[in-house]
Structure formats: C-alpha cells, structure tokens
Amino acid sequence: MNPTLFTLLIASTSVFCGDQYLQKREKIIQDERRLSLGGNIELNDKEEAVNKCIMKHKHNELDYAFDSPQFFNFSHHFFFYRENIPNSKVFKIIKNMPKGAVLHVHDMGILGPDYLLNITYMENLYVCLEDNIQFKFSNKTPSSVCSSKWILMRDARRNTKDITEFDARLRNRFTLVVDNPDEVYPSITQSWGAFMDYFGTVAPLVSYRPVWEQYFYDTLLKFRNENIMYVEVRSILPNLYELDGTEYDQLVTAKAYRKATLKFIQDYPDFIGAKLIYAPSRKVDNATISKYLNVARRIKEDMPEFFAGFDLVGQEDLGEPLIEFAPQLAAAAGEFNYFFHAGETDWCGSTTDENLIDAVLLGAKRIGHAYALPKHPVLMREVVNKDIGLEVNIISNNVLSLVRDVRNHPLNVFLANGLPVVLSSDDPGAWEAGVLSDDYYVAFVGVASRTADLKMLKALAINSLKYSVLDSKEKTDALNRFNLRWKEFVNNFDCSSY
Amino acid sequence: MNPTLFTLLIASTSVFCGDQYLQKREKIIQDERRLSLGGNIELNDKEEAVNKCIMKHKHNELDYAFDSPQFFNFSHHFFFYRENIPNSKVFKIIKNMPKGAVLHVHDMGILGPDYLLNITYMENLYVCLEDNIQFKFSNKTPSSVCSSKWILMRDARRNTKDITEFDARLRNRFTLVVDNPDEVYPSITQSWGAFMDYFGTVAPLVSYRPVWEQYFYDTLLKFRNENIMYVEVRSILPNLYELDGTEYDQLVTAKAYRKATLKFIQDYPDFIGAKLIYAPSRKVDNATISKYLNVARRIKEDMPEFFAGFDLVGQEDLGEPLIEFAPQLAAAAGEFNYFFHAGETDWCGSTTDENLIDAVLLGAKRIGHAYALPKHPVLMREVVNKDIGLEVNIISNNVLSLVRDVRNHPLNVFLANGLPVVLSSDDPGAWEAGVLSDDYYVAFVGVASRTADLKMLKALAINSLKYSVLDSKEKTDALNRFNLRWKEFVNNFDCSSY
C-alpha cells in the first residue's frame, strides 16, 4: 500500500475510533454517575445555580489540597485540618444547607469541651483530682473512692495559681483533640482508651438530673443551629442522680429526654423532634441483655412515640459479638427496631466483622458504621434488597483509628454504588467537630468523587429522613417540611456571599 | 395465655428460630467464601493437611497481632513490621510454596541495596558525591555536570576514614527503608520523591552493559529462589553504555534481557522464562508516545516471542493521563498487549482515577494496581466481563503512601468478589522486601479474610500464569509444570518443620 494513503487511512480510522471512543468513555462516566447516590435526582434551574457555585468552590479546594496539602490533607488525621474547615466556602454552604436528620449520635459525645467545662462552674460540684479525674454533684463530700481527696470544684479552682491554665488542663479532659495525634493515638487501643476515659469523666457531670435536661435541650439547639430538624439519639441511659444521692432508674432518664424534647419543640416549632435509641454496653452477659430488653420494653410501653429502638455499644473488637445474644435478640426482633453497630473494624473475618451478618439477619433497620461491608459482597446485596440504612460516621472512623486517609474510607464505595447512606457524626463533641457539617464536608470534598455534587448532598439529607423511624405520616410531614426549607435555601442562595 | 406455656412457646420458637438462624448465617458465610478468590477450588486430602497447618499458624499470628500489635501491626507502615516477617511460620510456608509468576515488577527496583552496594565495588566506577549522588562507569573522568567533582569510587572509599560507615551511608541511597517512615514520608510527595531519587541513583549503575546482563540474570535467580517460575518484567529500557562512552539504543537493551534470560533458562531448566513489557515514562508529549510505539514495534518485530507488551510509568497523579494519548494508543491497540498502570491514586474523580476507564477501553489485558477500582462499580463489572487481570502490589501501595493500614487496601474487596487478582511486588528491592513472598504474606495474613486459606493462595498462584501473556501452548505447559511443583510441595510438606 502507498505509505501516504496508509497514513491517511490510519488517521481517518483513528479519528472515527476517537469519536466512538469518547462516546463509550462518556457513557461509562454517566452510568457511574447515575448509579451513585443522588445520581437520579434532577436539579431545577435554581438548584443548578447553587450547584455551580458549590462545585466551583469544591474544585478550587480539591486543587488546593492537591497542590498545597498542608491545608486540606485528607491523607492525614482529622486533627491536622480540623481547624481549617470553618474557612472553607464549601463548608459554609453546607452549614447553611438543610441537612434533615442525624440518626447516629451518642448523647454524651455531642456538645464538646467548652460546654462541659462550663458545667464545672456549677455549684455543688466535687472533684477528685487524680489521673482519671472524677466529678460528682453532691450536697456533701462524696464517699466513693478517690486516691487523693474529694474537694469542691469551686475550692480547687480558687486554690490554683492560674485559673486559665487550670481550666485549659481541665478542658483537655473533655476532648480527644491533640496536636500530635499520630504519637498520642498510634493505634485503636490508644484512641479507644482515651475515648472511654472521656465518657468516664463526662458521665457523672451530665447525669446530674438538672444538667441532663439542660444538656439535651442544648444539644437539640446545636443541631438546629446546623440546620438539622430531627435527631435519633443513642443513650446508655445512665441513672440520673440528685444532690442528696437519690438515684433514678432508666425510665426516668428516658422521660427527662422526652421532657427536654417537648420543651424544645415548643420553643422552636420548626424543629421536628427527637427519638431515643436505647444503646447500652455490649460487653455484658446474656442475663444482662435480658435485663436491657426489659428496660427497652418498659420505655417502649411508657412512651411508644418517643422510643425508636435498641442497639449495643462499645469498642466492637473487644466484644461481645452479636452472635452471643442472637437467640435473645432474635426472639425480641418483633418488638423493637434494631440499629446495631456492626463491622466497625479493620479485621476481616473476625467475630466483629461477622456482626454484619447478624445485624442483617436480626433485621436491623439501620446498621451503625458498617465499615467492613465492602468486604462482604453477599451482605452488600442484602443491604440493598432489604433497604437497610448505613449510618456512616467518617470523622469518627478516622479519629478512632479505623482509617487514616479518609479517601480510603468505604463510604466512597457506598456512594459510588448508591447504597442507602445516612451521614452522621457519632460523637462530634469528643473531637471538637460540628454536629454534622464537618462530616458532610469531609465526605463531600475528601471522600466522594470530585464529580459528586449537590445531588449527592440532597440525597444524603433526604436519606436521613427516609431511613428514620418516623412513621409514614410523620415522615411525609418531615419530608414536606424539609422540601420547604430546601426551597428556601435554594431561592435565597447567593454565591457571592460565600 | 398461661404465662408458663407462653414462656415455653417463646423458648421453643426461639430454639427453632435459632436453628434456622444458624443455617441462614452459615449460608451467607459459605456463599461469600465460594464467591471469594479460590472459593471454588477443591483441596485434596494432602492439600487439606497443608491447609490445616497454615491456617493454624495464620490464626495464631492474627491473634498475636490483635493482642500484641507491636509485632504485626498491619495498621502501621510496612517498615515497622518488615523485619519481623521472616520469623513468621506462615511466611516460611509461603516462601516455599510454588507461586507461579510475577507479572508486575520494574527491573531497576528488584534486587535491593546490598546488591547495588556491591556494584559500587566494581572497577572503573566514578562517583560524584553531592546531595543527589551520581555514578558513572567510565575509562576516563566523566564530563557530565557534578557540583563537587567526579572521582573514582575506589579512591573515594580509600579516602574515607570509616569504610563501614561510608558504605552504610551509601547503602541508604539504594533503599527507601527508614526507621521513622511517618516523619520522612508524611505524604505521597515525599515517598514518590525518594522513589524517583532512588531510580536516578540506580539507573547509571545498572545500565552499564556488563552490569545489566548480570543484574537481570541475578534477578531471575532471586525470583527462582522464592519459587517463582516465570516473570514479565517492565522496563523503561535505558540506553546501555560502555566504558568508552558508547551508548546503544533500546533494542540492544531488550536483546541483553533476552540474552540473560536464555542463559538463565539454560542454567536452570526448571525456570520457564521471562518476557518484557516496555514501560517508558508517562510524563511526555504525544510525539514521544509515537516514538515509544515505534520502539515497541521494533522490539516486537525483532523478538516477538520475548516482547510482552506496552505500558507507561511514573507517579500517576502527576500525569500525563492516558486520555492524552488515547488516539495513538487506540490506533496501536491491535498491535500490542497493554498493561497500563491505572488508578494508582487516592483521588476519586481525578484524571488519574479516570485512567481506569481508558485502561479498560484501550483493551488492557491487565491493569497495573487498579487501586481505585472499587470506587467504580461499572468498571468493576467490565473487569469481570473482559476478564482483565488486576496486578496488585500491596506493599508498594503502602510504602508509596496510598494506604497506611493495609486492611483498608482494596485488595480485600477484590478477593472477596473473586476478581482476577495477580499479586505482585512492583519494586521490592527499593523497600527491602522479598521479591514476592512478603507481598503474599501481607495479603494473606494482613489483608484477606481470617478465613481465606490455601485455596486462595493456590488461586493467586494459578492466576499469575493464567493472566500472563504466555500463548495457549506455553500456558498449558506452564500450568502443568506448576501443578507438578505444587504436588511436590504438598506431598513433601511437613508441618512440624515450620
């Protein structure tokens, strides 16, 4: 063949192939977008304008993170870029955006160290200043063991030379945040150790009855301030106590919750409300599980409209696995909604990992974390078939040592497959994050595809209501109210104000 | 209802449900095992005995890693547990096990610092002792730029006060291993920077013609010593040179490879051989790609039986993306097997990430790394439908900063879904790992499910031959020879010797 002709033929074939090639390429991209969470949502013109704005800023921030990783270095621990997040324009938009509900959050880990430090200024608080600091509200010196001695917090503070420094040290007891997380928390043992210490310190502070009611009221306020309209809160339901040492049972704790919620809705009628998931420790025996279930029955009987369901908490790798309690939990499955923590682990094929199987078989309505799910293709199909909500807490999983680089978090796989993700924040106060916006930010910019846009954000917000335990009428109402607020957000959106 | 009767009924229902429950549970576990890589392999009695032994040790080591994470802490950088691996019984078994082929390995990153240090004892080597140390074999002082001055290596060594210390510092130039990887390599920029420096230092040492042939012969020996029988090696094909400055073209480099391979097979007839993947730098323009393809054509024409195919190398995030060269590569797709690096990134939705689309559309026979694949469900299906081999290099991805905790590596998802994984080692010499056994160890104990067993190991070994470019006759022969060696390994296996 004439070489010139041959060259021409190759060139023309190549151009032809090129068009076909680009079409096939675009089809794959579009197919994957449609499959991803929110991929089927159609945006109207006003939403498109918001989307254009948020995507411009998202791409700027991603490019900046790529070129100058000192600011948003998603490969590092959250504590390295935590303080930069509030400066992000994407974050500011997300903060103002209606986000629906928060469905996975633990009561004592929400409000953060400044709030807790303020509690220590209340009257009648005793403190035991030892390695694991202890608190107790009381009208007389507490009798429980203290390796130094119980003194009034007021006196302790008065005796110190430098109250600012004293309070700064005290505040450190109420947070996991440190400057050098890689050294302080080299592995899950240390991060969970500090996390458990946090709860040990905080529990006696907030379970003083007058604090408890106010604490939850203020919790709801913090959610509302981040444009959240509904919460399903997990609680171990500690026994509330009075200054004279009176202790109440768990039904009283639950009632205090409901009371605070009702007062809050009255004060803020645009807030839909809250429901309670009873979630006591998993590190117990079968007899205790039976007791738990009886407590759950009592609460459900007393306040069926406020009680959402049942879960078990604690560092999952340390047990007990769900299979230990499967007969009891299966027998009670008709009575309760289950929201089991499952698969919050890096160990594959371990009993922790197998909790995912039991969560599915026990009919969990949602699964807490489900971190290990992509390692289980059969269970992934079950999650889709049974439409089980996946409560993902991305910052929590980073801080509690499951994953350092959030871009390796399985949330990405969930989003790409359009799985029913509900984004949540677990214990945001313990790592000084906002109650949901920070998790949205990290998920949207750090984890999701560069191409994931407002459709994904809207789908996440809608999922948070869809996978709630609100009954059908409540849910319709909630979605209507959400849509109105969404419309308002979109209509009032001004890109230049960000 | 009589309460006692009710209790009895609940109890009996619960027991009945319990049986059903356990059956359903077991079915999920078995379904996932069958779906996983190797899940359909049937082991004979002798293989079962090997399996029992290896699983006993695997479970011991996993339990030990869980309880005493200082030894096998898979959440940490490979450099923290690298030196403990040779003590592992599982590792010793894996090392002795026939492993088939290595299909993703770069020539200059295989033999390691001790071997390279030895090369510096050869005659006629000049060194330029500056920040980026330079080497050149020559019969006169090299004329290329040196900020200090070129001296004979022999003189440099003679002039030093402490040769041991001098050699130790020199050796450090030939390895990425450090005691404090988290500080030295805080992100991919630093690890890839050091990795590129490594190649810059090594290239002039090994591309001296007499070294090159010996280097590759010794490479094959190292593979054989780890019970590997076949290699497809990637090379940028540097221009080989002589003492008098004569430089050869790339065909000569390729011929030197073939020569070393033929000699090796003659010396070790149990070794099947090697083939060459021409894999030059991706950081080039379209004209250079055309030149590359012409070089590939020349090599293929000259040694069709030795030439395996084409790829492009370099830190993928820094480009160029495959789409830049798609017209040229698509036009040449009928001529070459492609083995593109694609998706070796943590950035989702980036051009690097999209390389996965182009690798699939360009008809890649295998994909290098495919790290980002689980974020692409449509492409994952394409990989299965088109039966594209996935060349996974787990230790490389850890050392080069894609993932710290290997338990978060997507290999786990690939294995769980039974995807066509080919385990390989990339540049094991650069991080002082064995040429394949370390990667097998980390994959088998650190990444795969606790339940993954000898069936998975056997499937990985078979995959390495199945997804090679050996033609149908060669492949049948290779598989026969592998099966004989496997049988021998199983028949001679003595658990008590580990």
Side-chain angles (χ1 to χ4, degrees), chain B residues 396-410:
Chain B
S396 165
N397 297 154
N398 175 270
V399 172
L400 295 176
S401 308
L402 285 190
V403 63
R404 187 166 73 161
D405 188 328
V406 291
R407 297 171 301 174
N408 286 312
H409 192 287

Side-chain angles (χ1 to χ4, degrees), chain A residues 21 25 32 66 76 186 323 346-348 358 371 375-379 402 405 407-408 412 416-417 450, chain B residues 21 25 32 66 76 186 323 346-348 358 371 375-379 402 405 407-408 412 416-417 450:
Chain A
Y21 185 93
R25 195 175 193 276
E32 292 205 331
F66 186 87
H76 278 209
I323 185 68
D346 282 322
W347 293 108
C348 183
D358 295 298
Y371 186 87
K375 302 172 182 177
H376 295 278
V378 172
L379 292 176
L402 285 189
D405 189 326
R407 295 171 302 174
N408 286 312
N412 198 306
N417 283 278
R450 183 181 175 92
Chain B
Y21 185 93
R25 196 175 191 276
E32 292 205 331
F66 187 87
H76 278 208
I323 185 68
D346 283 322
W347 293 108
C348 182
D358 295 298
Y371 185 87
K375 302 172 181 176
H376 295 278
V378 172
L379 291 176
L402 285 190
D405 188 328
R407 297 171 301 174
N408 286 312
N412 197 306
N417 283 277
R450 182 180 177 92

